[in-house]
Amino acid sequence: EVQLLESGGGLVQPGGSLRLSCAASGFDFSSYAMNWVREAPGKGLEWVSAISASGGSAYYADSVKGRFTFSRDNSKNTLYLQMNSLRAEDTAVYYCAKDRFRGSYAGPHDHWGQGTLVTVSS
Amino acid sequence: DIQMTQSPSSLSASVGDRVTITCQASQDISDDLNWYQQKPGKAPKLLIYDASNLETGVPSRFSGSGSGTDFAFTISDLQPEDIATYYCQQYANLPTFGPGTKVNIK
């Protein structure tokens, strides 16, 4: 059974940093691209970032480019999202999500974690 | 960036009704279009991928169609458990979601 478990959310001041993690199990982790998607309170879904299966390439939404860094450790089946220069508008539940197809990136997301809440406030 | 619009933003229908949601892309995305269901407090769930392919385990009352810029998502026999917000998502370029359609039971 595919499982994705996010952690690392919490309260941080504007301008601060936070690192989210997502532990994966139940599938061949190193063969699939992975994603982060967020949901701000009362708002819709926003794709944030994707990383290739090898970790060699990462892609970002314009809203986080230059501030967020997506990485993965295939030996630990774990994803990381380093978030710097955080703003109030980054407040959201952050989900990690698995791509459905091997070898693609940022394609259909067939499994999702339960999400972790990030609150940016003074 | 490719922009996605959805219509309507919300709807109310009766159990057993046929419900259709439309999604339009700002440019041609071929069939690189997915549909998700999200219930309050839960993670989204993939229902349809590549415009018309039903995800494994998803009831056959859900269906999708379209290509290019215009797409449709249909629930053929609305059930109480279908109360949720539905999102389209394109992935022809970096992914973007539509604003969502909230479905309620009348």
Side-chain angles (χ1 to χ4, degrees):
Chain A
E1 180 193 4
V2 172
Q3 291 196 346
L4 299 169
L5 185 61
E6 302 95 338
S7 61
L11 175 64
V12 61
Q13 292 190 338
S17 297
L18 208 58
R19 189 177 84 156
L20 305 183
S21 300
C22 174
S25 62
F27 65 103
D28 182 11
F29 181 72
S30 63
S31 291
Y32 291 88
M34 300 293 293
N35 304 268
W36 288 97
V37 176
R38 68 185 181 185
E39 180 186 15
K43 304 288 187 183
L45 300 174
E46 180 186 16
W47 174 85
V48 172
S49 184
I51 193 166
S52 63
S54 68
S57 299
Y59 311 88
Y60 302 93
D62 287 344
S63 58
V64 307
K65 198 177 297 182
R67 300 187 299 122
F68 289 13
T69 301
F70 193 178
S71 61
R72 66 191 292 165
D73 186 338
N74 284 348
S75 69
K76 295 183 178 178
N77 285 9
T78 301
L79 307 172
Y80 305 100
L81 185 67
Q82 178 65 44
M83 303 186 296
N84 298 332
S85 303
L86 282 161
R87 306 166 180 166
E89 54 265 36
D90 295 318
T91 295
V93 173
Y94 285 74
Y95 297 98
C96 62
K98 169 189 167 291
D99 261 18
R100 191 185 193 282
F101 300 111
R102 290 174 188 262
S104 69
Y105 83 91
H109 315 323
D110 65 343
H111 288 90
W112 297 63
Q114 86 292 343
T116 187
L117 176 62
V118 172
T119 303
V120 184
S121 175
S122 54
Chain B
D1 288 6
I2 299 175
Q3 309 300 318
M4 306 300 293
T5 57
Q6 276 183 246
S7 184
S9 57
S10 66
L11 65 90
S12 289
S14 300
V15 171
D17 279 356
R18 182 182 184 90
V19 166
T20 297
I21 298 166
T22 61
C23 177
Q24 187 168 58
S26 59
Q27 63 189 72
D28 189 337
I29 59 169
S30 185
D31 63 354
D32 295 338
L33 191 285
N34 309 311
W35 290 96
Y36 298 87
Q37 175 193 66
Q38 188 180 30
K39 298 183 178 180
K42 299 293 187 182
K45 176 184 177 183
L46 178 66
L47 300 181
I48 303 286
Y49 64 93
D50 294 348
S52 60
N53 292 285
L54 192 68
E55 175 65 340
T56 304
V58 173
S60 59
R61 65 179 181 274
F62 296 100
S63 64
S65 63
S67 66
T69 60
D70 295 299
F71 301 87
F73 171 80
T74 299
I75 308 173
S76 61
D77 175 19
L78 188 67
Q79 297 299 303
E81 60 266 31
D82 300 336
I83 294 174
T85 299
Y86 294 84
Y87 295 92
C88 61
Q89 179 204 37
Q90 68 79 23
Y91 67 101
N93 201 333
L94 294 184
T96 47
F97 287 92
T101 296
K102 194 169 184 179
V103 174
N104 291 305
I105 299 288
K106 211 181 277 185

